[in-house]
Coordinates of all heavy atoms in Angstrom, one line a residue:
T934 N 95.7 111.3 100.9 CA 97.0 111.9 101.3 C 96.8 113.4 101.2 O 96.9 113.9 100.9 CB 98.0 111.5 100.2 OG1 97.4 111.0 99.1 CG2 99.1 110.7 100.8
G935 N 96.8 114.3 101.6 CA 96.8 115.7 101.6 C 97.9 116.2 102.5 O 98.7 115.5 103.0
T936 N 98.0 117.5 102.5 CA 99.0 118.1 103.3 C 98.5 118.1 104.8 O 97.3 118.2 105.1 CB 99.3 119.6 102.9 OG1 98.1 120.3 103.0 CG2 99.8 119.6 101.5
M937 N 99.5 118.1 105.7 CA 99.2 118.1 107.1 C 98.9 119.5 107.6 O 99.5 120.5 107.1 CB 100.3 117.5 107.9 CG 100.5 116.0 107.7 SD 101.9 115.4 108.6 CE 101.4 115.6 110.3
Q938 N 98.0 119.6 108.5 CA 97.7 120.9 109.1 C 98.8 121.2 110.1 O 99.5 120.4 110.6 CB 96.3 120.8 109.9 CG 95.2 120.5 108.9 CD 94.9 121.6 107.9 OE1 95.0 122.8 108.3 NE2 94.8 121.2 106.7
P939 N 99.0 122.5 110.4 CA 100.0 122.9 111.3 C 100.0 122.2 112.7 O 101.0 121.8 113.2 CB 99.8 124.4 111.5 CG 99.2 124.8 110.2 CD 98.3 123.7 109.8
V940 N 98.8 122.0 113.2 CA 98.6 121.4 114.5 C 99.1 119.9 114.4 O 99.8 119.4 115.3 CB 97.2 121.4 115.0 CG1 96.9 120.6 116.2 CG2 96.8 122.9 115.3
D941 N 98.7 119.3 113.3 CA 99.2 117.9 113.1 C 100.7 117.8 113.0 O 101.3 116.9 113.5 CB 98.6 117.3 111.8 CG 97.1 117.2 111.9 OD1 96.5 117.0 113.0 OD2 96.4 117.3 110.8
R942 N 101.3 118.7 112.3 CA 102.8 118.8 112.1 C 103.4 119.0 113.5 O 104.4 118.3 113.8 CB 103.2 119.8 111.2 CG 103.0 119.5 109.7 CD 103.8 120.4 108.8 NE 103.3 121.8 108.9 CZ 102.4 122.3 108.1 NH1 101.8 121.6 107.2 NH2 102.0 123.5 108.2
M943 N 102.8 119.8 114.3 CA 103.4 120.0 115.7 C 103.3 118.8 116.5 O 104.2 118.5 117.3 CB 102.6 121.2 116.3 CG 103.0 122.6 115.8 SD 102.0 123.9 116.5 CE 102.0 123.6 118.2
Q944 N 102.2 118.0 116.4 CA 102.0 116.8 117.2 C 103.0 115.8 116.7 O 103.6 115.1 117.6 CB 100.6 116.3 117.0 CG 99.5 117.1 117.7 CD 98.1 116.7 117.4 OE1 97.8 116.1 116.4 NE2 97.2 117.1 118.3
V945 N 103.2 115.7 115.4 CA 104.2 114.7 114.9 C 105.6 115.1 115.4 O 106.4 114.2 115.9 CB 104.2 114.6 113.4 CG1 105.4 113.9 112.8 CG2 102.9 114.0 112.9
A946 N 105.9 116.4 115.3 CA 107.3 116.8 115.8 C 107.4 116.6 117.3 O 108.5 116.1 117.7 CB 107.4 118.3 115.5
S947 N 106.4 116.8 118.0 CA 106.4 116.6 119.5 C 106.6 115.1 119.8 O 107.5 114.7 120.7 CB 105.1 117.1 120.1 OG 105.1 116.8 121.5
R948 N 105.9 114.2 119.1 CA 106.1 112.8 119.3 C 107.5 112.3 118.9 O 108.1 111.5 119.6 CB 105.0 112.0 118.5 CG 105.1 110.5 118.7 CD 103.9 109.9 118.2 NE 103.9 108.4 118.3 CZ 103.7 107.8 119.4 NH1 103.3 108.4 120.5 NH2 103.7 106.5 119.5
Q949 N 108.0 112.9 117.8 CA 109.4 112.5 117.3 C 110.4 112.9 118.4 O 111.3 112.2 118.7 CB 109.7 113.2 116.0 CG 109.0 112.5 114.8 CD 109.2 113.3 113.5 OE1 109.4 114.5 113.5 NE2 109.0 112.6 112.4
E950 N 110.2 114.1 119.0 CA 111.1 114.5 120.0 C 111.0 113.6 121.2 O 112.0 113.3 121.8 CB 110.9 116.0 120.4 CG 111.8 116.5 121.4 CD 113.3 116.4 121.1 OE1 113.6 116.6 119.9 OE2 114.1 116.1 122.0
A951 N 109.8 113.2 121.6 CA 109.6 112.3 122.7 C 110.3 111.0 122.5 O 111.0 110.4 123.4 CB 108.2 112.1 123.0
V952 N 110.3 110.5 121.3 CA 110.9 109.2 120.9 C 112.4 109.4 121.0 O 113.1 108.5 121.6 CB 110.5 108.7 119.5 CG1 111.3 107.5 119.1 CG2 109.0 108.3 119.6
R953 N 112.9 110.5 120.5 CA 114.4 110.7 120.5 C 114.9 110.8 122.0 O 115.9 110.2 122.3 CB 114.8 112.0 119.8 CG 114.9 111.9 118.3 CD 115.6 113.1 117.7 NE 114.7 114.3 117.7 CZ 113.7 114.5 116.7 NH1 113.6 113.7 115.7 NH2 113.0 115.6 116.8
A954 N 114.1 111.5 122.8 CA 114.5 111.6 124.2 C 114.4 110.3 124.9 O 115.3 109.9 125.7 CB 113.6 112.6 124.9
A955 N 113.4 109.5 124.6 CA 113.3 108.1 125.2 C 114.4 107.2 124.7 O 115.0 106.5 125.5 CB 111.9 107.5 124.8
L956 N 114.8 107.4 123.5 CA 116.0 106.6 123.0 C 117.3 106.9 123.7 O 118.0 106.0 124.1 CB 116.2 106.8 121.5 CG 115.3 106.0 120.5 CD1 115.5 106.6 119.1 CD2 115.7 104.6 120.5
L957 N 117.4 108.2 124.0 CA 118.6 108.6 124.8 C 118.7 108.1 126.2 O 119.7 108.0 126.8 CB 118.8 110.1 124.7 CG 119.1 110.7 123.4 CD1 119.1 112.3 123.4 CD2 120.5 110.2 122.9
R958 N 117.5 107.8 126.7 CA 117.4 107.2 128.1 C 117.8 105.7 128.1 O 118.0 105.1 129.2 CB 116.1 107.5 128.7 CG 115.8 108.9 129.1 CD 114.5 109.1 129.9 NE 113.3 108.8 129.2 CZ 112.6 109.6 128.4 NH1 113.0 110.8 128.3 NH2 111.5 109.2 127.9
L959 N 117.8 105.1 126.9 CA 118.1 103.6 126.9 C 119.6 103.4 126.9 O 120.4 104.3 126.7 CB 117.6 103.1 125.5 CG 116.1 103.1 125.3 CD1 115.7 102.5 123.9 CD2 115.3 102.3 126.4
S960 N 120.0 102.2 127.2 CA 121.4 101.8 127.2 C 121.9 102.0 125.7 O 121.1 101.9 124.8 CB 121.6 100.4 127.7 OG 121.1 99.5 126.7
L961 N 123.2 102.1 125.6 CA 123.8 102.2 124.3 C 123.5 101.0 123.5 O 123.1 101.1 122.3 CB 125.3 102.4 124.4 CG 126.1 102.4 123.1 CD1 125.6 103.6 122.2 CD2 127.6 102.5 123.4
E962 N 123.5 99.8 124.1 CA 123.2 98.5 123.4 C 121.8 98.5 122.8 O 121.5 98.2 121.7 CB 123.4 97.4 124.4 CG 123.2 96.0 123.8 CD 123.4 95.0 124.8 OE1 122.5 94.6 125.5 OE2 124.6 94.5 124.9
D963 N 120.8 99.0 123.7 CA 119.4 99.0 123.2 C 119.2 100.0 122.1 O 118.6 99.8 121.1 CB 118.5 99.4 124.4 CG 118.2 98.3 125.3 OD1 118.6 97.1 125.0 OD2 117.7 98.5 126.4
R964 N 119.8 101.2 122.3 CA 119.7 102.3 121.3 C 120.3 101.8 120.0 O 119.7 102.0 118.9 CB 120.4 103.5 121.8 CG 120.1 104.8 121.1 CD 120.5 106.0 121.8 NE 121.9 106.0 122.3 CZ 122.3 106.0 123.6 NH1 121.4 106.0 124.6 NH2 123.5 106.1 123.9
Q965 N 121.5 101.2 120.0 CA 122.1 100.7 118.8 C 121.3 99.8 118.0 O 121.1 99.9 116.8 CB 123.5 100.1 119.2 CG 124.2 99.6 118.0 CD 125.5 98.9 118.4 OE1 125.5 98.1 119.3 NE2 126.6 99.2 117.7
I966 N 120.7 98.8 118.7 CA 120.0 97.8 117.9 C 118.7 98.4 117.3 O 118.3 98.0 116.2 CB 119.6 96.5 118.8 CG1 119.3 95.3 117.9 CG2 118.6 96.8 119.8 CD1 120.5 94.5 117.5
I967 N 118.1 99.3 118.0 CA 116.9 100.0 117.4 C 117.3 100.8 116.2 O 116.6 100.8 115.2 CB 116.2 100.8 118.5 CG1 115.5 99.8 119.5 CG2 115.1 101.7 117.9 CD1 115.0 100.5 120.8
V968 N 118.3 101.6 116.4 CA 118.7 102.5 115.3 C 119.2 101.8 114.1 O 118.8 102.1 113.0 CB 119.8 103.5 115.8 CG1 120.5 104.2 114.7 CG2 119.3 104.5 116.8
L969 N 119.9 100.7 114.3 CA 120.4 99.9 113.1 C 119.2 99.3 112.4 O 119.2 99.2 111.2 CB 121.4 98.9 113.6 CG 122.8 99.4 114.0 CD1 123.6 98.2 114.6 CD2 123.5 100.1 112.9
R970 N 118.2 98.8 113.1 CA 117.1 98.1 112.5 C 116.2 99.1 111.8 O 115.8 98.9 110.7 CB 116.3 97.4 113.6 CG 115.0 96.7 113.0 CD 115.3 95.6 112.1 NE 114.1 94.9 111.8 CZ 113.7 94.6 110.5 NH1 114.5 94.9 109.5 NH2 112.6 94.1 110.3
Y971 N 115.8 100.2 112.5 CA 114.8 101.1 111.9 C 115.4 102.3 111.2 O 114.8 102.7 110.2 CB 113.8 101.5 113.0 CG 113.1 100.3 113.5 CD1 113.4 99.7 114.7 CD2 112.1 99.8 112.8 CE1 112.7 98.6 115.2 CE2 111.4 98.6 113.2 CZ 111.7 98.1 114.4 OH 111.1 96.9 114.8
D972 N 116.4 102.9 111.7 CA 117.0 104.1 111.0 C 117.8 103.7 109.8 O 117.8 104.2 108.7 CB 117.8 105.0 111.9 CG 116.9 105.8 112.8 OD1 115.7 105.8 112.7 OD2 117.5 106.5 113.7
E973 N 118.7 102.7 110.0 CA 119.6 102.2 109.0 C 118.9 101.1 108.1 O 119.5 100.6 107.1 CB 120.9 101.6 109.6 CG 121.7 102.7 110.4 CD 122.1 103.8 109.5 OE1 122.4 103.6 108.4 OE2 122.1 105.0 110.1
E974 N 117.7 100.6 108.6 CA 116.9 99.7 107.8 C 117.6 98.3 107.6 O 117.5 97.7 106.5 CB 116.3 100.3 106.6 CG 115.4 101.5 106.8 CD 114.9 102.1 105.6 OE1 115.3 101.7 104.4 OE2 114.0 103.0 105.7
M975 N 118.4 97.9 108.5 CA 119.2 96.6 108.4 C 118.2 95.5 108.6 O 117.4 95.5 109.5 CB 120.3 96.6 109.4 CG 121.5 97.4 109.1 SD 122.8 97.1 110.2 CE 123.9 98.4 109.7
D976 N 118.4 94.4 107.8 CA 117.6 93.2 108.0 C 118.3 92.4 109.2 O 119.4 92.8 109.6 CB 117.4 92.4 106.8 CG 118.8 92.0 106.2 OD1 119.7 91.8 106.9 OD2 118.8 91.8 104.9
F977 N 117.6 91.4 109.6 CA 118.1 90.6 110.8 C 119.4 89.9 110.5 O 120.3 89.8 111.3 CB 117.1 89.6 111.3 CG 115.9 90.3 111.9 CD1 114.7 90.4 111.3 CD2 116.0 90.9 113.2 CE1 113.6 91.1 111.9 CE2 115.0 91.6 113.8 CZ 113.8 91.6 113.2
A978 N 119.6 89.4 109.2 CA 120.9 88.8 108.9 C 122.0 89.8 108.9 O 123.1 89.5 109.5 CB 120.7 88.2 107.5
T979 N 121.8 91.0 108.4 CA 122.9 92.0 108.5 C 123.1 92.4 109.9 O 124.3 92.6 110.3 CB 122.5 93.2 107.6 OG1 122.2 92.8 106.3 CG2 123.6 94.3 107.6
L980 N 122.1 92.6 110.7 CA 122.3 93.0 112.1 C 123.1 91.9 112.8 O 124.0 92.2 113.6 CB 120.9 93.1 112.8 CG 120.2 94.4 112.7 CD1 118.8 94.3 113.1 CD2 121.0 95.5 113.4
A981 N 122.8 90.6 112.5 CA 123.6 89.6 113.1 C 125.0 89.6 112.8 O 125.9 89.5 113.6 CB 123.0 88.2 112.7
T982 N 125.3 89.9 111.5 CA 126.7 90.0 111.1 C 127.4 91.2 111.7 O 128.5 91.1 112.3 CB 126.8 90.2 109.5 OG1 126.2 89.1 108.9 CG2 128.2 90.4 109.1
V983 N 126.7 92.4 111.8 CA 127.3 93.6 112.3 C 127.5 93.5 113.8 O 128.6 93.9 114.3 CB 126.4 94.8 112.0 CG1 126.8 96.0 112.8 CG2 126.4 95.1 110.5
T984 N 126.6 92.8 114.5 CA 126.7 92.8 116.0 C 127.5 91.5 116.5 O 127.8 91.4 117.6 CB 125.3 92.8 116.6 OG1 124.6 91.6 116.2 CG2 124.6 94.0 116.3
G985 N 127.7 90.5 115.6 CA 128.3 89.3 116.0 C 127.4 88.4 116.7 O 127.9 87.5 117.4
L986 N 126.1 88.6 116.6 CA 125.1 87.8 117.3 C 124.4 86.9 116.3 O 124.5 87.1 115.1 CB 124.1 88.7 118.0 CG 124.5 89.7 119.0 CD1 123.4 90.6 119.4 CD2 125.0 88.9 120.3
T987 N 123.7 85.9 116.8 CA 122.9 85.1 116.0 C 121.6 85.9 115.6 O 121.3 86.8 116.3 CB 122.4 83.8 116.6 OG1 121.6 84.1 117.7 CG2 123.6 82.9 117.1
E988 N 120.9 85.5 114.6 CA 119.7 86.2 114.2 C 118.7 86.1 115.4 O 118.0 87.0 115.7 CB 119.1 85.6 112.9 CG 119.7 86.2 111.7 CD 119.0 85.8 110.4 OE1 117.8 86.1 110.4 OE2 119.6 85.3 109.5
G989 N 118.6 84.9 116.0 CA 117.7 84.8 117.1 C 118.0 85.7 118.3 O 117.1 86.3 118.9
S990 N 119.3 85.9 118.5 CA 119.7 86.8 119.6 C 119.4 88.2 119.2 O 119.0 89.0 120.1 CB 121.2 86.6 119.9 OG 121.5 85.4 120.5
V991 N 119.6 88.6 117.9 CA 119.2 89.9 117.5 C 117.7 90.2 117.7 O 117.3 91.2 118.2 CB 119.6 90.1 116.0 CG1 119.0 91.3 115.4 CG2 121.1 90.2 115.8
R992 N 116.9 89.2 117.3 CA 115.5 89.4 117.4 C 115.1 89.5 118.9 O 114.3 90.4 119.3 CB 114.7 88.2 116.8 CG 114.8 88.2 115.3 CD 114.1 86.9 114.7 NE 114.4 86.8 113.3 CZ 113.6 87.3 112.4 NH1 112.5 88.0 112.8 NH2 113.8 87.2 111.1
S993 N 115.7 88.7 119.8 CA 115.4 88.8 121.2 C 115.8 90.2 121.8 O 115.1 90.8 122.5 CB 116.1 87.7 122.0 OG 115.6 86.5 121.6
R994 N 117.0 90.6 121.4 CA 117.6 91.8 121.9 C 116.7 93.0 121.4 O 116.4 93.9 122.2 CB 119.0 92.0 121.5 CG 119.7 93.2 122.1 CD 121.1 93.3 121.8 NE 121.8 92.2 122.6 CZ 123.1 92.0 122.5 NH1 123.9 92.7 121.7 NH2 123.7 91.1 123.3
L995 N 116.3 93.0 120.2 CA 115.5 94.0 119.6 C 114.1 94.1 120.3 O 113.6 95.1 120.7 CB 115.3 93.9 118.1 CG 114.4 94.9 117.4 CD1 115.0 96.3 117.6 CD2 114.2 94.6 116.0
S996 N 113.5 92.9 120.6 CA 112.3 92.9 121.2 C 112.3 93.5 122.6 O 111.5 94.3 123.0 CB 111.8 91.4 121.3 OG 110.6 91.3 122.0
R997 N 113.4 93.1 123.4 CA 113.6 93.6 124.7 C 113.8 95.1 124.7 O 113.3 95.9 125.5 CB 114.7 92.9 125.5 CG 114.3 91.5 125.9 CD 115.4 90.9 126.8 NE 116.7 90.9 126.2 CZ 117.2 89.9 125.5 NH1 116.5 88.9 125.2 NH2 118.5 90.1 125.1
A998 N 114.6 95.6 123.7 CA 114.9 97.0 123.6 C 113.7 97.8 123.3 O 113.4 98.9 123.8 CB 116.0 97.2 122.5
L999 N 112.8 97.3 122.4 CA 111.6 98.0 122.0 C 110.6 98.0 123.2 O 109.9 99.0 123.4 CB 110.9 97.3 120.8 CG 111.6 97.5 119.5 CD1 111.0 96.6 118.4 CD2 111.6 98.9 119.1
E1000 N 110.6 97.0 124.0 CA 109.8 97.0 125.2 C 110.3 98.1 126.2 O 109.5 98.8 126.8 CB 109.8 95.6 125.9 CG 108.9 95.6 127.1 CD 107.5 95.9 126.9 OE1 106.9 95.6 125.8 OE2 106.8 96.5 127.8
R1001 N 111.6 98.2 126.4 CA 112.1 99.2 127.2 C 111.8 100.6 126.7 O 111.5 101.6 127.4 CB 113.6 99.0 127.5 CG 113.9 97.9 128.4 CD 115.3 97.8 128.8 NE 116.1 97.1 127.8 CZ 116.4 95.8 127.8 NH1 115.9 95.0 128.7 NH2 117.2 95.3 126.8
L1002 N 111.8 100.8 125.4 CA 111.5 102.0 124.7 C 110.0 102.4 125.0 O 109.7 103.5 125.4 CB 111.8 102.0 123.2 CG 111.4 103.3 122.4 CD1 112.2 104.5 122.9 CD2 111.7 103.0 120.9
R1003 N 109.2 101.4 124.8 CA 107.7 101.6 125.1 C 107.5 102.0 126.6 O 106.8 103.0 126.9 CB 106.9 100.4 124.8 CG 106.6 100.2 123.3 CD 105.6 99.1 123.1 NE 106.2 97.7 123.3 CZ 106.9 97.1 122.4 NH1 107.1 97.6 121.2 NH2 107.4 95.9 122.7
E1004 N 108.2 101.4 127.5 CA 108.1 101.7 128.9 C 108.6 103.1 129.2 O 108.0 103.9 129.9 CB 108.9 100.7 129.8 CG 108.3 99.3 129.8 CD 109.3 98.3 130.5 OE1 110.3 98.8 131.1 OE2 109.0 97.1 130.4
S1005 N 109.7 103.5 128.5 CA 110.3 104.9 128.7 C 109.3 105.9 128.2 O 109.1 106.9 128.8 CB 111.6 105.0 128.0 OG 112.2 106.2 128.1
L1006 N 108.7 105.6 127.0 CA 107.7 106.6 126.5 C 106.4 106.7 127.4 O 105.9 107.7 127.6 CB 107.2 106.1 125.1 CG 108.3 106.3 124.0 CD1 107.9 105.6 122.7 CD2 108.5 107.8 123.7
K1007 N 106.0 105.5 127.9 CA 104.9 105.5 128.8 C 105.1 106.3 130.1 O 104.3 107.1 130.5 CB 104.5 104.1 129.2 CG 103.2 103.9 130.0 CD 102.9 102.5 130.3 CE 101.7 102.3 131.1 NZ 101.3 100.9 131.4
E1008 N 106.3 106.2 130.6 CA 106.7 106.9 131.8 C 106.7 108.4 131.5 O 106.5 109.3 132.4 CB 108.1 106.5 132.3 CG 108.1 105.1 133.0 CD 109.5 104.6 133.2 OE1 110.5 105.4 133.1 OE2 109.6 103.4 133.7
A1009 N 107.0 108.8 130.3 CA 107.1 110.2 129.9 C 105.7 110.7 129.5 O 105.5 111.8 129.1 CB 108.1 110.4 128.7
G1010 N 104.7 109.8 129.6 CA 103.3 110.2 129.2 C 103.0 110.2 127.8 O 102.0 110.8 127.3
V1011 N 103.7 109.4 127.0 CA 103.5 109.3 125.5 C 103.0 107.9 125.2 O 103.6 107.0 125.7 CB 104.8 109.6 124.8 CG1 104.6 109.4 123.3 CG2 105.4 111.0 125.1
D1012 N 101.9 107.9 124.5 CA 101.4 106.6 124.1 C 102.3 105.9 123.1 O 102.7 106.6 122.1 CB 100.0 106.7 123.4 CG 98.9 107.1 124.5 OD1 99.1 106.7 125.6 OD2 98.0 107.8 124.1
A1013 N 102.7 104.7 123.3 CA 103.6 104.0 122.4 C 102.9 103.2 121.4 O 101.8 102.8 121.5 CB 104.5 103.1 123.2

């Protein structure tokens, strides 16, 4: 573990900005499921309750949303 070098910090910040921009290009539905799962750290049962979907539907929706996020990042020239 050590401290990150300035160049490394810049690369991390650049990648984070690319992910934020790619998220904004997604539909609200896709963005919401990704943010709730990863930023809010909701488990699938909680996501199902919050969204009114079954856990299976939550998993499917999240999988499709993540694929669209990867495609968006790829189009922007960022390795996903």
Side-chain angles (χ1 to χ4, degrees):
T934 16
T936 59
M937 290 178 65
Q938 298 297 314
V940 171
D941 295 330
R942 283 194 297 269
M943 286 175 44
Q944 289 173 337
V945 168
S947 176
R948 183 168 176 81
Q949 287 173 336
E950 181 54 38
V952 170
R953 277 192 289 276
L956 277 168
L957 290 174
R958 289 190 295 271
L959 296 178
S960 70
L961 178 60
E962 182 178 90
D963 285 349
R964 193 166 52 245
Q965 180 184 44
I966 199 83
I967 291 171
V968 168
L969 290 174
R970 175 72 174 129
Y971 295 103
D972 285 352
E973 301 298 325
E974 300 179 351
M975 287 187 185
D976 60 30
F977 289 105
T979 304
L980 276 169
T982 300
V983 167
T984 61
L986 301 169
T987 65
E988 280 190 51
S990 293
V991 166
R992 289 175 189 273
S993 294
R994 187 172 288 178
L995 180 61
S996 177
R997 289 190 304 271
L999 290 171
E1000 181 57 34
R1001 286 188 280 269
L1002 178 62
R1003 282 188 287 276
E1004 289 171 11
S1005 182
L1006 287 167
K1007 186 177 179 180
E1008 289 170 7
V1011 177
D1012 291 329

